[in-house]
Amino acid sequence: MKKLMPVICIALWAYLLTWVLHEGFAHGGTALMLGAKSIFLSTTYCNYENTDLNEFRNRFVALAGPLISIGTGLIFIIVFRKFNIPDPNTRFFIWLCGYLGVTTGSGYMLALSFANFGDISTFVSGFRLELLLRLAFTVIGYYVYFPAYRQAMTDLDCFLGSDPERSILAKRLLLTSYIAGAAGICLSSLLSPEGVNVLLASAIPSALGGGIWLAMGARYAHKFKAQSRTPRYLIHDRFPLYTALSLVLILYVYIGRGITI
């Protein structure tokens, strides 16, 4: 359990930041910028009065979610790849935020473009070339999601190196991140006024679906060959670790219950 605690803490922070960026910064921020008078923000959804904005602006608010998720994810990835951050915990956090952002945004396009709900559906519904747009977003999602997944596994190498238990270490990092992060998002959604409805309609599809590549990576980690020699093991420093863990759990409860802006 001691080896898992840093991963659990980092995953909880990374998932929370990724979902707040998607719901709060992307949807909420765009809605406020375009004229919405008030928004209600939780970990897994953002509500505002659609009548505050015209049809075009409502469509733009919906599309901002996946686009900004991809954009902010790319920023994290650039930081990860361009700067040799010495602290392994910080480096793993940046890696996870980056690829969660890109795969969450592109995953919406890949998996939900033909659904009758979600960000992409809200954007394309009613357009003259709706079917073509849905197909285009699906193709874009495919060509962003899977290259991002492969690159994520390549970049994960610095945490695995030539460790003789490389595959086991990969599963520990990836599966623990997936389970802890998705659990945090799903459980916090139950605290919102919509409760179970939000859990089923938003939290489970986004948290479990958005991070499914982590489970895929754990399953196929043995297929990615070692590129580096010395792995960067995550550090278990008790006081800062449990302080950060306590703080992120408080934030899950606070944001999960909902904030009116």
Side-chain angles (χ1 to χ4, degrees), residues 84-101:
N84 187 23
I85 300 170
D87 180 68
N89 292 24
T90 302
R91 191 162 174 78
F92 183 69
F93 170 75
I94 293 172
W95 174 86
L96 189 53
C97 285
Y99 287 107
L100 267 180

Side-chain angles (χ1 to χ4, degrees), residues 4-26:
L4 297 181
M5 288 307 298
V7 188
I8 292 171
C9 183
I10 291 168
L12 286 170
W13 274 105
Y15 265 76
L16 181 63
L17 179 58
T18 300
W19 263 252
V20 168
L21 284 173
H22 180 92
E23 301 294 346
F25 182 68

Side-chain angles (χ1 to χ4, degrees), residues 106-122:
S106 59
Y108 273 105
M109 298 178 186
L110 174 62
L112 297 178
S113 288
F114 282 91
N116 61 357
F117 63 91
D119 296 341
I120 302 302
S121 180
T122 301

Side-chain angles (χ1 to χ4, degrees), residues 8 11-12 15 43-44 175-190 199 203-204 207-208 249 252:
I8 292 171
L12 286 170
Y15 265 76
T43 46
T44 52
L175 274 182
T176 304
S177 295
Y178 181 52
I179 294 170
I185 294 296
C186 290
L187 291 175
S188 69
S189 72
L190 291 173
L199 173 68
I204 290 178
L208 293 179
L249 291 176
Y252 267 101

Side-chain angles (χ1 to χ4, degrees), residues 61-97:
V61 169
L63 185 61
L67 291 185
I68 292 179
S69 288
I70 293 172
T72 54
L74 286 173
I75 293 173
F76 278 107
I77 292 171
I78 291 170
V79 171
F80 176 87
R81 295 179 63 83
K82 294 295 183 181
F83 300 96
N84 187 23
I85 300 170
D87 180 68
N89 292 24
T90 302
R91 191 162 174 78
F92 183 69
F93 170 75
I94 293 172
W95 174 86
L96 189 53
C97 285

